[in-house]
Amino acid sequence: MSFLKKVSLSCFTVVLIFIFCEILRTNDLLQPVVSPNLAGAAASNGLKGEYYNNMDLTGLTLTRTDSNVDFSWGLGSPNSSIGEDSFSVRWTGTVKPKYSQTYTFYMVADDGVRLWVNGQLLIDKWVTQASELTSLPITLTAEKNYDIRIEYFENGGGATAILQWASPSQSKQVVPQSQLNPPVEVSGIGLKGEYYDNINLSGLKLTRTDINLNFNWGLSSPAPSLGADTFSVRWTGTIKPKYSETYTYYMIADDGVRLWIDGQLLIDTWVTQASELKSLPITLMAGQNYDIRIEYFENGGAATAILQWSSPSQTKQIVPQTQLYPPAEISGTGLKGEYYDNMDLTGLKLTRTDADLNYNWGAGSPDDSIGTDTFSIRWTGTLKPKYSEIYTFYLNADDGVRLWIDGKLLLNRWENQSGQFESSPISLIADQQYDIQIEYFENLGDAAIGLLWTSPSQTKQFIPQSQLYLPAKLAGVGLIGEYYDNIDLTDLKLTRTDPAIHFGWGLGSPDASIDGDTFSARWTGTIRPMYNETYTFYFNSDDGARLWVNGQLIIDQWVTQASELTSLPISLIADQNYDIRIEYFENSGGANAILSWSSASQIKQIVPQSKLFLPYKTYTPVEYHYNAGGRIEYIRYSDGTVVHYYYDANGNLIRKNL
């Protein structure tokens, strides 16, 4: 074959190959083309689901991306690592509406559920129940991403969680995967720090974001608004470990400090001291965000607060900014209301979330379980003002009422009455959360309670749900123990937090300041059962003991003896906090005090620290006590501080001291 023929044939072959490729390319255009990147993006749509093996959203067990929220687990569970009952889930991410319209969301839920969209709480049914819940309406813009957050718990029986939506143009349907996206993962910016000008975490002076905890203030203070001594700080947010390993945390602290990770109290040294404190170990998963809370106080001298961590792959280091995140800002949920069928805030009957305080029960009562007269209520949580101004609060009350903001008793009208009562003014900072506590009793006749506020920029109004938040829910820290060097609960020698009542002192004593015989102790706080059941308590005691739960005396053996005492049975509701009070004396010989419990689902065990809590901050009114000559003998302040006054023979004040 000649050279020209070879060239012509080669050219013809190239043309044929080109035409064939073009045909293939045209055919490809007839088929759906899926970019590898787009395919990955579609597969990643959905919400981030965090699964907990209990009902209180602590103790993270599993994290995954759920394509949508459309689950009917029946009598099963979401995963083999999670029990079939008493689990909880938090889903987070964004939702993108298709239309610029007013939407309604629906949750088919068994049991409790809360739904926020764009920071607004649209559904709040955090109780054991099974139904389809309808949200408040919300106006959304098409193709715009809005933050969404769903919290859910399963108590017993069937388990269901299904999220739907509807609008004028959107037929009611399960919110599809295409409109859901998990939260964008960003590098940490630090923790929220709240600074107080005292050692009891009240009297908020400053809030800021601290990039990490690496503070050595020496003899100075964190800010000009705080004194160099007797200040305190609370840091909150989330922490993201780098490895799926067991971590240990360290706090270099001068003075007291407490550390919680994922609701677990890992360090508890709430005393004046200076040292490096080492936490209990905790197993964490890489890339997951865990709640973190640190409380710190400085009493006198130098001030230091440094947070470090380590794991098998993580060298010991200060926890860096990149792994710390401030808490998510969401609209308020309301306050925790605890309802009692008497006037002295004992005998808990009902606990619920009240969106706001604007009630006029007339001659009725708040609930069928409560009589129409002689009941009482305690509301607790936090309040967020809108302006940095001086606020005044008002309470419409029939009858008695008390109001504390940030630990300060602003209104005290604990008497039979009816009217609107004005508080002392208080200076607050915009967008900061302050502890709020309201106590109320109804004696006879009508019953009403209403909470309002005003400031130079805030017109007088009932405080809306958006500015009211539930109290932080943490695992227990134990009970307050007061120890006396006699058998009649007088002559206080020592007060401390005891993680559990599990003591076998033998022939010894609780502390060097107390003799081995003829001492007594009182433990107080609250206890949180796990089940809606009838409980029996046991007190292994040598010698005398008395036990009250929810104001009921269920053990009374105030004699010299040695045995395990069994209580009267008592019906309790799961996850409610009940007052508990234990009194004990040791006469001679051996000394032991051990508190256990059992129920139909609760095997007999020592009551664990996780279910025991410190007493409520009731911030009792200031008490003035005078001696026979009419002079001040001592003052007991609302935070429990007592100042004693001493005089010479001529009645001149010599000194005063704590």
Side-chain angles (χ1 to χ4, degrees), residues 105-319:
F105 289 82
Y106 307 88
M107 280 295 307
V108 180
D110 182 340
D111 290 286
V113 70
R114 293 187 287 234
L115 166 68
W116 291 264
V117 175
N118 198 30
Q120 299 179 49
L121 183 64
L122 303 183
I123 293 177
D124 184 12
K125 196 76 172 178
W126 200 247
V127 295
T128 300
Q129 61 87 50
S131 64
E132 180 178 83
L133 306 167
T134 302
S135 82
L136 298 170
I138 183 171
T139 300
L140 303 175
T141 303
E143 301 304 317
K144 180 178 178 181
N145 283 314
Y146 293 89
D147 287 337
I148 185 170
R149 176 187 179 112
I150 305 163
E151 294 179 348
Y152 163 84
F153 79 82
E154 153 63 9
N155 190 7
T160 305
I162 301 172
L163 175 66
Q164 300 171 298
W165 63 356
S167 77
S169 301
Q170 173 65 67
S171 59
K172 186 176 176 183
Q173 66 168 183
V174 173
V175 181
Q177 178 180 10
S178 60
Q179 306 310 118
L180 298 171
N181 283 289
V184 177
E185 295 296 332
V186 295
S187 184
I189 60 174
L191 298 179
K192 179 181 180 181
E194 297 169 295
Y195 290 77
Y196 305 85
D197 199 17
N198 56 49
I199 60 174
N200 63 358
L201 296 159
S202 65
L204 184 66
K205 292 292 183 181
L206 168 69
T207 299
R208 68 189 190 193
T209 299
D210 290 325
I211 60 172
N212 57 20
L213 266 67
N214 184 18
F215 297 109
N216 188 347
W217 294 295
L219 299 178
S220 61
S221 78
S225 60
L226 302 172
D229 290 315
T230 61
F231 64 85
S232 53
V233 192
R234 178 186 290 119
W235 289 280
T236 53
T238 61
I239 186 168
K240 183 190 292 182
K242 298 178 179 179
Y243 308 99
S244 295
E245 296 178 345
T246 297
Y247 277 75
T248 302
Y249 290 82
Y250 310 84
M251 279 294 306
I252 300 175
D254 185 337
D255 290 293
V257 70
R258 292 187 287 235
L259 166 67
W260 290 264
I261 302 289
D262 199 28
Q264 300 180 50
L265 183 64
L266 302 184
I267 293 177
D268 184 11
T269 304
W270 200 247
V271 295
T272 300
Q273 61 86 49
S275 64
E276 180 177 82
L277 306 168
K278 184 178 180 179
S279 82
L280 298 170
I282 183 170
T283 300
L284 303 175
M285 289 189 285
Q288 307 309 323
N289 281 57
Y290 294 86
D291 288 336
I292 183 171
R293 178 185 178 114
I294 303 159
E295 294 178 348
Y296 163 84
F297 79 83
E298 155 60 12
N299 192 12
T304 305
I306 300 172
L307 174 67
Q308 300 173 295
W309 63 355
S310 71
S311 76
S313 302
Q314 174 64 66
T315 59
K316 185 177 176 182
Q317 66 167 184
I318 292 167
V319 180

Side-chain angles (χ1 to χ4, degrees), residues 363-571:
S365 82
D367 188 80
D368 292 340
S369 64
I370 297 170
T372 57
D373 288 315
T374 63
F375 62 84
S376 54
I377 311 169
R378 178 187 288 120
W379 288 278
T380 52
T382 61
L383 169 143
K384 182 191 288 186
K386 297 178 179 179
Y387 308 101
S388 295
E389 295 177 346
I390 294 175
Y391 278 75
T392 302
F393 294 83
Y394 303 86
L395 275 155
N396 298 336
D398 184 338
D399 291 285
V401 70
R402 295 189 285 232
L403 167 69
W404 292 263
I405 301 290
D406 202 29
K408 299 179 177 65
L409 183 63
L410 301 185
L411 179 62
N412 183 22
R413 301 277 305 203
W414 202 247
E415 57 190 271
N416 296 329
Q417 68 192 330
S418 178
Q420 183 176 90
F421 307 102
E422 181 177 332
S423 80
S424 301
I426 184 171
S427 182
L428 302 177
I429 301 169
D431 293 326
Q432 309 310 323
Q433 284 180 258
Y434 295 86
D435 287 336
I436 182 171
Q437 179 168 313
I438 301 155
E439 294 177 348
Y440 164 80
F441 79 80
E442 154 61 12
N443 191 7
L444 296 170
D446 288 342
I449 182 77
L451 176 64
L452 304 90
W453 62 357
T454 184
S455 76
S457 302
Q458 174 64 66
T459 58
K460 188 175 179 182
Q461 65 167 185
F462 288 99
I463 301 178
Q465 177 183 4
S466 60
Q467 308 309 120
L468 299 171
Y469 298 78
L470 296 173
K473 192 172 182 180
L474 299 166
V477 298
L479 300 178
I480 287 289
E482 298 170 298
Y483 292 81
Y484 305 85
D485 199 16
N486 56 48
I487 60 173
D488 62 0
L489 298 159
T490 61
D491 190 19
L492 182 66
K493 291 292 184 181
L494 168 69
T495 300
R496 69 189 188 194
T497 300
D498 289 326
I501 312 304
H502 184 197
F503 299 108
W505 293 296
L507 299 178
S509 79
D511 187 78
S513 64
I514 297 171
D515 290 335
D517 288 316
T518 63
F519 65 84
S520 54
R522 177 187 291 119
W523 292 278
T524 54
T526 63
I527 187 168
R528 182 189 295 168
M530 299 173 69
Y531 306 101
N532 294 328
E533 294 178 348
T534 297
Y535 277 74
T536 302
F537 289 82
Y538 310 87
F539 202 79
N540 192 324
S541 175
D542 184 340
D543 289 292
R546 292 187 288 236
L547 168 65
W548 291 262
V549 174
N550 198 27
Q552 301 178 47
L553 182 63
I554 56 176
I555 291 178
D556 185 10
Q557 193 78 311
W558 201 246
V559 295
T560 300
Q561 62 86 50
S563 65
E564 182 175 77
L565 307 169
T566 302
S567 80
L568 297 172
I570 183 170
S571 284

